[in-house]
Amino acid sequence: MAVPGDPPNGTPDGTGGDDDEFRSDEYRSVVFDDDFVRAARLQEYSAQERMGEHARAVRSRSIWSSGGTAPRTSTPGRGARQGMLLVLLIATAFAAAVYMGLRNPYVPPPGGPAQPLTSTVVPLAPTTAVPGGLPPELFAESPAADYRVGAAGITLPAVRRTHHFTDVQVVTALSIAKDYLVQSSLDPDVLAGSATRPVRVLLDPDQLAQFDRSMTSPSGDGRHAATGWLVRFDPATAVMADSRVRVNGTLAFEEVAQDVLEVTTDHTFVYAVRPATGAPAAAEGASLFTVRRELRLRFDRDDLGARRLELASAYVMAGPQDCSADPAGGFRPLLAGAGPTTVGPAASDPYASGHPRRSAGLCGVLAPSATPGAPVSPAP
């Protein structure tokens, strides 16, 4: 009987059959006896256990290797170079965006709605009886003798560019301001109180609600006086006796913010009026009524493109009027032959050049020099 480890056909010729002779002494130490083999325990490890600490068989496609080192199967230094290239591209794109932002001439429009108008309307009471007569004679004897007629009296100043507005934009702002003065101070329908649209279409949309309330429910609260927005006569008191209104004044402009251009206007308007009742051709029924308007108009780039404006503030003096009359809804002139009434605390001359003296209260005094027949002062 063959023993384990013997050749299938027996022991080859020339070799001994003894196990001790077959096994060389040098292999004796690695031969296990039968008891050891039977006692040996077979244990099969799982796939995860067989992997042990070995590297992953599939190379990662990430440019960043785990632990800060490149995968063993990748080219040494390739991941680091790819990472540096990506960082460089991002930095270049960011620098280009910043540069283009600084070089871009576009200026963003201002945020927020237009501010509401603040207005002050001061009636000027006469110190003497109101003179009457024919309009040409009254104008000739008044400080308005040398004033121009209508829109010709509203002249534009010399134009120059500002830091953020071109000369064309400045001219546009000044022309819109002139249009507003013409429509709000000279339009016959606006003066008669029968129209408001010529003025309304020139206003910033954010101010339309305030304007509409001022027209329908005028109030002397500093926000809703119709006469803060425009010149309007109470149709029950007076009407125009001559359509040729005398005008004199100035316009100025200033950049008050990077995206805001401000135009200030200071004009004196002299109207010939007569009683609302009676014959239109009454020879001695006319008298003069003077309105001094100081307005502050603001424009952003959207306003210039749409040919509109924001009326920021208005300071108005008008007379002769009775200080007890509320001028918020419309002016109520004291007509020819009316005597002096309650007077205010200080005299104000609406014809004075520069900034006239403003009344500290709600009523002022029409300076004697502003009355027809008084010595005529040079036109400013």
Side-chain angles (χ1 to χ4, degrees):
M1 177 177 178
V3 297
D6 288 343
N9 296 323
T11 303
D13 294 337
T15 61
D18 192 279
D19 287 344
D20 291 338
E21 292 178 0
F22 177 75
R23 299 181 179 92
S24 173
D25 289 341
E26 59 178 316
Y27 297 105
R28 191 178 301 277
S29 60
V30 297
V31 176
F32 304 106
D33 57 19
D34 293 341
D35 293 335
F36 179 83
V37 171
R38 293 191 200 97
R41 180 182 178 186
L42 299 178
Q43 180 179 0
E44 183 175 356
Y45 292 97
S46 66
Q48 183 67 31
E49 291 173 328
R50 288 197 301 272
M51 288 180 63
E53 298 297 327
H54 295 288
R56 293 167 56 185
V58 180
R59 179 169 59 89
S60 173
R61 302 291 295 180
S62 172
I63 62 172
W64 306 108
S65 59
S66 175
T69 60
R72 293 180 182 180
T73 57
S74 63
T75 304
R78 181 179 179 184
R81 287 196 301 271
Q82 290 178 338
M84 288 294 293
L85 179 60
L86 180 61
V87 171
L88 229 113
L89 288 174
I90 294 175
T92 303
F94 180 78
V98 171
Y99 176 79
M100 292 300 294
L102 293 176
R103 296 288 296 176
N104 193 348
Y106 172 77
V107 180
Q115 296 301 309
L117 164 69
T118 58
S119 62
T120 302
V121 182
V122 179
L124 300 178
T127 57
T128 61
V130 178
L134 294 172
E137 297 174 354
L138 295 172
F139 283 126
E141 296 176 359
S142 76
D146 295 331
Y147 286 6
R148 295 181 178 180
V149 176
I154 305 173
T155 57
L156 304 186
V159 175
R160 69 182 186 282
R161 64 166 297 140
T162 66
H163 189 61
H164 294 99
F165 289 88
T166 66
D167 52 355
V168 174
Q169 291 174 318
V170 172
V171 169
T172 301
L174 291 171
S175 65
I176 298 172
K178 180 174 180 175
D179 288 345
Y180 185 83
L181 288 173
V182 170
Q183 300 301 330
S184 65
S185 308
L186 301 176
D187 186 284
D189 293 331
V190 172
L191 296 176
S194 61
T196 59
R197 189 176 183 280
V199 179
R200 191 179 190 274
V201 296
L202 293 173
L203 294 174
D204 188 289
D206 293 328
Q207 291 189 314
L208 294 182
Q210 183 188 11
F211 176 82
D212 293 340
R213 179 179 169 185
S214 301
M215 298 301 112
T216 57
S217 302
S219 170
D221 60 358
R223 293 291 181 91
H224 301 97
T227 47
W229 299 92
L230 47 80
V231 177
R232 181 165 76 177
F233 296 105
D234 178 7
T237 303
V239 295
M240 295 291 293
D242 190 338
S243 61
R244 294 169 296 178
V245 181
R246 303 309 196 263
V247 185
N248 189 62
T250 60
L251 288 92
F253 62 91
E254 179 186 8
E255 181 182 310
V256 296
Q258 180 176 345
D259 47 14
V260 178
L261 189 66
E262 184 174 277
V263 175
T264 55
T265 74
D266 184 3
H267 289 80
T268 299
F269 300 87
V270 186
Y271 306 87
V273 296
R274 62 174 180 81
T277 59
E284 301 295 331
S287 61
L288 298 186
F289 188 81
T290 305
V291 180
R292 178 75 174 262
R293 303 183 75 194
E294 297 179 61
L295 309 179
R296 192 158 52 90
L297 316 173
R298 289 189 169 182
F299 304 84
D300 59 25
R301 287 173 173 78
D302 288 340
D303 292 330
L304 295 176
R307 290 197 64 82
R308 67 193 185 202
L309 57 88
E310 172 191 343
L311 183 57
S313 66
Y315 185 86
V316 182
M317 300 186 300
Q321 290 187 97
D322 190 334
C323 287
S324 62
D326 182 8
F331 295 124
R332 301 175 182 177
L334 289 173
L335 301 170
T341 63
T342 304
V343 297
S348 298
D349 185 357
Y351 293 91
S353 60
H355 295 289
R357 180 177 180 180
R358 297 191 176 189
S359 173
L362 298 179
C363 186
V365 177
L366 187 63
S369 61
T371 304
V376 177
S377 58

